[in-house]
């Protein structure tokens, strides 16, 4: 019997004192690896980001813009999500620790690309990161200005 490469189901005996113990070698868990042009199933459990989407894209001032990430992994649960913005434009992401955060498109004078990064981690710390860029259309008009305020008592 080779202990470095045991054969499945081989029984061995060990005598300790007056007792004899049976050692049954059980093969280790077989983990399959699936690989195709569109997706990858990785045996080490690393989350694989299969898609990142933005809707609507492009967006305009006032639109609620939703980001979404899709993930494939050998264990489909217990993911943590971290979205962040890359670049000079700052927007306030709502629910940045979920697969689908959102923000309200700000008023911009010119068309502006905004890039977001998402990192998906599993419970043992393996992670994948992907970026996506979306376009926020500029508005040629100006925002409404308040020129006077009138109060009325009823």
């Amino acid at each position: 019997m080779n202990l470095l490469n045991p054969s499945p189901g081989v029984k061995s005996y060990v005598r300790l004192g007056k007792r004899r113990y049976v050692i049954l070698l059980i093969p280790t868990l077989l983990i399959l690896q699936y690989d195709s042009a569109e997706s990858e199933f990785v045996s080490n459990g690393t989350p694989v980001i299969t898609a990142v989407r933005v809707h609507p894209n492009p967006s305009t001032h006032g639109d609620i813009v939703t980001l979404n990430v899709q993930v494939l992994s050998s264990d489909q649960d217990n993911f943590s999500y971290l979205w962040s913005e890359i670049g000079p434009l700052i927007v306030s992401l709502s629910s940045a620790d979920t697969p689908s955060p959102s923000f309200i498109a700000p008023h911009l004078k010119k068309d502006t690309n905004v890039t977001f990064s998402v990192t998906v981690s599993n419970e043992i710390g393996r992670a994948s990161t992907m970026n996506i860029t979306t376009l926020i259309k500029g508005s040629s008009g100006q925002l409404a200005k308040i020129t006077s305020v009138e109060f009325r008592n009823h």
Side-chain angles (χ1 to χ4, degrees):
M1 178 175 77
N2 181 350
L3 292 179
L4 296 177
N5 190 12
S7 300
V10 172
K11 290 183 181 179
S12 295
Y13 300 94
V14 174
R15 186 169 295 278
L16 296 174
K18 294 182 180 181
R19 295 187 183 192
R20 185 174 91 163
Y21 294 90
V22 176
I23 299 173
L24 178 60
L25 299 176
I26 300 171
T28 60
L29 176 65
L30 174 64
I31 300 175
L32 300 176
Q33 183 169 347
Y34 168 77
D35 190 5
S36 76
E38 295 182 32
S39 63
E40 186 180 51
F41 190 115
V42 182
S43 62
N44 66 7
T46 300
V48 177
I49 298 173
T50 58
V52 180
R53 295 185 178 92
V54 178
H55 180 76
N57 189 19
S59 60
T60 57
H61 173 248
D63 286 346
I64 297 174
V65 181
T66 303
L67 308 170
N68 181 268
V69 62
Q70 293 179 341
V71 182
L72 176 69
S73 176
S74 59
D75 56 352
Q76 291 290 322
D77 52 352
N78 297 325
F79 291 134
S80 62
Y81 303 89
L82 177 61
W83 290 86
S84 58
E85 185 181 346
I86 302 170
L89 182 65
I90 303 296
V91 296
S92 178
L93 278 176
S94 174
S95 303
D97 60 349
T98 69
S100 297
S102 61
F103 67 94
I104 297 174
H107 177 268
L108 300 171
K109 292 184 179 181
K110 63 180 183 174
D111 292 0
T112 304
N113 286 318
V114 183
T115 301
F116 295 93
S117 176
V118 60
T119 299
V120 181
S121 304
N122 62 17
E123 70 267 4
I124 59 173
R126 293 197 171 111
S128 295
T129 300
M130 187 174 278
N131 296 345
I132 188 164
T133 300
T134 184
L135 175 66
I136 301 175
K137 301 287 283 179
S139 175
S140 58
Q142 294 184 353
L143 293 174
K145 294 181 181 177
I146 299 174
T147 56
S148 66
V149 177
E150 182 180 330
F151 294 97
R152 294 184 185 181
N153 289 329
H154 292 267

